[in-house]
Amino acid sequence: MKKLSLKWKLTLLYTFLTTLLTGVVLAVLLYLGSGSILASTQSRLKERVYEGFELIDVKEDTLAVDSDFSDVEEGVYLSAYAESGALLSGRVPYGFSSSVPFRENTVQTAVLGGSTWYVFDASSQLKGYGPVRIRGICSVSSLEEELRLLIRLALILLPLTILLAAALCFSLVKRTLRPVFRITRTAREICEKKDLSRRINLQGGRDEITILGETFDSMLDQLQEAFERQKQFTSDVSHELRTPLAVILSQCDELLSLPSLTSEERAGLSTIRDRAGNLTRLISQLLFLSRTDQNRQALTLEPLDFTVLTKTVLEEQELLAREKDITLETEVEEHIQIRGDETLLIRLWLNLIENAISYTPVGGTVKAGLSADEHAVVGYVKDTGVGISKENLPRIWERFYRADPSRSDSSHSGLGLSMVKWIVQAHGGSIEAKSEEGKGSLFRFTLPR
């Protein structure tokens, strides 16, 4: 039951309640109906008996009985008896025994030969003749057969009623929950595609679900506005900071070229230049991510020799690895052609390798490789660095996130892997990371040929 959807749960619940209500109603109707039929039969039996006295007359001290007295009307047999018990006129149904005693003004139930009968006796003093008794007899077995037929009919109709109720309940629940499904689908699309511009747009009603949809749309409007302001703020600030940082770098280079500087002054200016350079790279990364958020980052796809591009980047990074006494091993297949953006693919390799070198201690090893088959190109960067814990691994693609800032190179802002993921996905590929704390990390990306 827990695995069923809300639609099926409500359908089963409504069907059960409808079935229960229908069953109760049928049971009550059958109970009341059977009682009403039997009571009506008894009443009709009494009326026929009393009407029988009107069909009997006394002429010249002789009992005269109308011919209609012997007719069986509405299943009631009439018979007239003298005070001695002798049959004077009328009919007795087949199988009925005269051994049933007379009980005046009382409806008796007699079971004879497997059949059930209602018996009603009444007497009257006829002037000029004396007392006369009239007995009315009515078969109850035929009524019971009618009731059994009615019960069978109800048992046949009950399953059909259940099926019809289930179909109607399913249709009603599905129609009622349609706005909920629409809200769920919109929320899922927003999560999957990260598109806050989507809206539910429920219209045509003022019920609770429609109000919920309108509230959800209003919330999305506010969220989108807030994110747009944040993106614009990041872009504006980055643009505003580029010029003063460029001036700082230019002035530092100009001052460092002066021969009159003392060693302390030169060291201080070098520190300022390095920090300004780090800020310049950070701003460049922020501008890149800001353009990707606003879908303004251009993607220039062209045929590339990915092997040559990869080798060029690895040769440049080998110098950086040697400075830190880290071994850079490469394994690149020849003649791998790909269609992509050359600038972005260079940045992809640079970020992955710089990240690996940054988190690998002195004397460690970084391996980079590139291979391909008919459908895809696979690249990887593996290091013997500090590694990433299982708790932190899912968060490494978040902006500005660093698992352990105390062990990080201060020149790294935590934006590199976010850029890497976007570049891979922009080329229609995927990237994954595997790591074990204290043993290193492996980043593997796949791009379509």
Side-chain angles (χ1 to χ4, degrees):
M1 189 70 176
K2 293 182 179 180
K3 295 182 180 180
L4 293 177
S5 64
L6 179 60
K7 176 173 63 179
W8 282 108
K9 287 181 180 178
L10 290 176
T11 300
L12 292 177
L13 176 61
Y14 291 155
T15 303
F16 171 75
L17 294 177
T18 304
T19 303
L20 181 62
L21 180 62
T22 304
V24 171
V25 171
L26 286 177
V28 172
L29 288 177
L30 288 174
Y31 176 76
L32 296 178
S34 61
S36 176
I37 291 174
L38 294 177
S40 175
T41 302
Q42 294 180 6
S43 177
R44 187 171 66 248
L45 176 62
K46 293 178 181 180
E47 290 178 0
R48 282 287 295 150
V49 170
Y50 291 133
E51 288 174 357
F53 287 106
E54 299 177 359
L55 299 176
I56 299 176
D57 195 8
V58 179
K59 295 180 180 179
E60 298 178 357
D61 298 330
T62 303
L63 192 67
V65 182
D66 193 294
S67 59
D68 292 341
F69 186 86
S70 299
D71 293 341
V72 179
E73 294 183 7
E74 298 180 337
V76 178
Y77 294 82
L78 292 180
S79 54
Y81 295 88
E83 187 177 10
S84 62
L87 179 63
L88 299 176
S89 180
R91 297 175 59 184
V92 178
Y94 177 79
F96 185 83
S97 173
S98 59
S99 61
V100 179
F102 282 94
R103 290 183 182 176
E104 193 168 342
N105 297 325
T106 301
V107 177
Q108 303 181 68
T109 302
V111 180
L112 301 171
S115 299
T116 305
W117 307 87
Y118 278 155
V119 180
F120 181 74
D121 299 319
S123 64
S124 179
Q125 188 74 24
L126 298 182
K127 187 177 180 181
Y129 184 82
V132 174
R133 294 174 177 175
I134 295 180
R135 166 168 283 184
I137 305 171
C138 179
S139 174
V140 183
S141 298
S142 60
L143 297 177
E144 292 177 344
E145 183 62 30
E146 291 179 3
L147 289 175
R148 284 194 291 268
L149 179 62
L150 186 61
I151 292 174
R152 285 196 293 268
L153 181 61
L155 293 177
I156 293 174
L157 291 178
L158 185 60
L160 297 178
T161 304
I162 294 174
L163 292 176
L164 180 61
L168 292 176
C169 289
F170 181 82
S171 177
L172 177 62
V173 170
K174 184 178 180 181
R175 184 179 181 84
T176 303
L177 293 180
R178 190 175 299 164
V180 178
F181 298 150
R182 188 169 175 178
I183 294 174
T184 305
R185 184 176 65 250
T186 303
R188 184 182 296 114
E189 290 175 352
I190 291 174
C191 292
E192 292 176 351
K193 299 181 180 180
K194 295 179 175 57
D195 184 5
L196 287 175
S197 65
R198 295 179 179 272
R199 296 294 181 269
I200 301 171
N201 293 325
L202 292 181
Q203 298 176 354
R206 297 305 304 168
D207 55 90
E208 291 79 358
I209 297 180
T210 303
I211 295 175
L212 174 63
E214 292 176 353
T215 305
F216 195 83
D217 284 343
S218 177
M219 180 188 68
L220 288 175
D221 289 336
Q222 297 181 27
L223 285 175
Q224 185 180 12
E225 183 180 354
F227 276 107
E228 292 298 331
R229 287 199 303 266
Q230 182 184 18
K231 293 175 185 177
Q232 190 62 43
F233 174 78
T234 303
S235 179
D236 293 344
V237 169
S238 300
H239 276 292
E240 292 297 327
L241 291 177
R242 293 181 73 179
T243 299
L245 283 173
V247 172
I248 292 173
L249 288 172
S250 175
Q251 291 296 317
C252 287
D253 290 336
E254 184 175 346
L255 291 173
L256 286 171
S257 64
L258 297 176
S260 59
L261 292 177
T262 64
S263 59
E264 291 81 2
E265 292 172 340
R266 192 174 299 277
L269 285 172
S270 298
T271 302
I272 294 173
R273 184 183 63 179
D274 292 341
R275 293 293 181 262
N278 292 340
L279 284 174
T280 302
R281 285 192 293 272
L282 173 60
I283 290 172
S284 176
Q285 292 173 340
L286 285 173
L287 281 173
F288 176 86
L289 292 173
S290 177
R291 287 193 295 267
T292 62
D293 289 339
Q294 299 174 16
N295 296 320
R296 294 191 295 108
Q297 176 61 43
L299 194 68
T300 305
L301 299 178
E302 57 183 344
L304 297 173
D305 190 327
F306 205 23
T307 298
V308 174
L309 183 148
T310 302
K311 286 184 175 181
T312 302
V313 175
L314 293 178
E315 289 174 359
E316 293 176 356
Q317 293 301 305
E318 190 173 1
L319 298 176
L320 177 62
R322 288 177 182 174
E323 292 178 0
K324 295 189 63 176
D325 195 19
I326 293 174
T327 303
L328 178 60
E329 300 178 358
T330 61
E331 186 181 10
V332 182
E333 289 187 8
E334 299 291 339
H335 309 299
I336 296 179
Q337 300 294 320
I338 193 174
R339 185 174 177 81
D341 188 305
E342 182 177 5
T343 303
L344 295 181
L345 291 177
I346 291 175
R347 180 172 288 186
L348 165 67
W349 276 118
L350 285 174
N351 286 352
L352 286 177
I353 297 173
E354 288 178 355
N355 189 71
I357 294 175
S358 175
Y359 287 93
T360 301
V362 175
T365 302
V366 174
K367 296 181 180 180
L370 185 69
S371 60
D373 56 23
E374 295 181 359
H375 306 288
V377 174
V378 179
Y380 73 88
V381 175
K382 183 178 181 181
D383 63 64
T384 58
V386 296
I388 308 168
S389 66
K390 292 182 179 180
E391 295 78 13
N392 293 322
L393 189 60
R395 301 187 58 190
I396 61 175
W397 311 108
E398 299 176 9
R399 298 177 185 181
F400 296 106
Y401 180 79
R402 289 182 289 181
D404 188 354
S406 64
R407 294 187 295 178
S408 302
D409 190 336
S410 59
S411 63
H412 285 260
S413 61
L415 296 174
L417 291 179
S418 299
M419 298 171 61
V420 165
K421 186 175 182 179
W422 185 90
I423 293 171
V424 172
Q425 292 179 343
H427 283 80
S430 61
I431 186 169
E432 62 176 352
K434 297 180 180 179
S435 183
E436 187 174 350
E437 197 168 11
K439 295 185 178 180
S441 305
L442 169 65
F443 291 86
R444 186 192 307 274
F445 63 86
T446 303
L447 301 176
R449 290 298 296 263

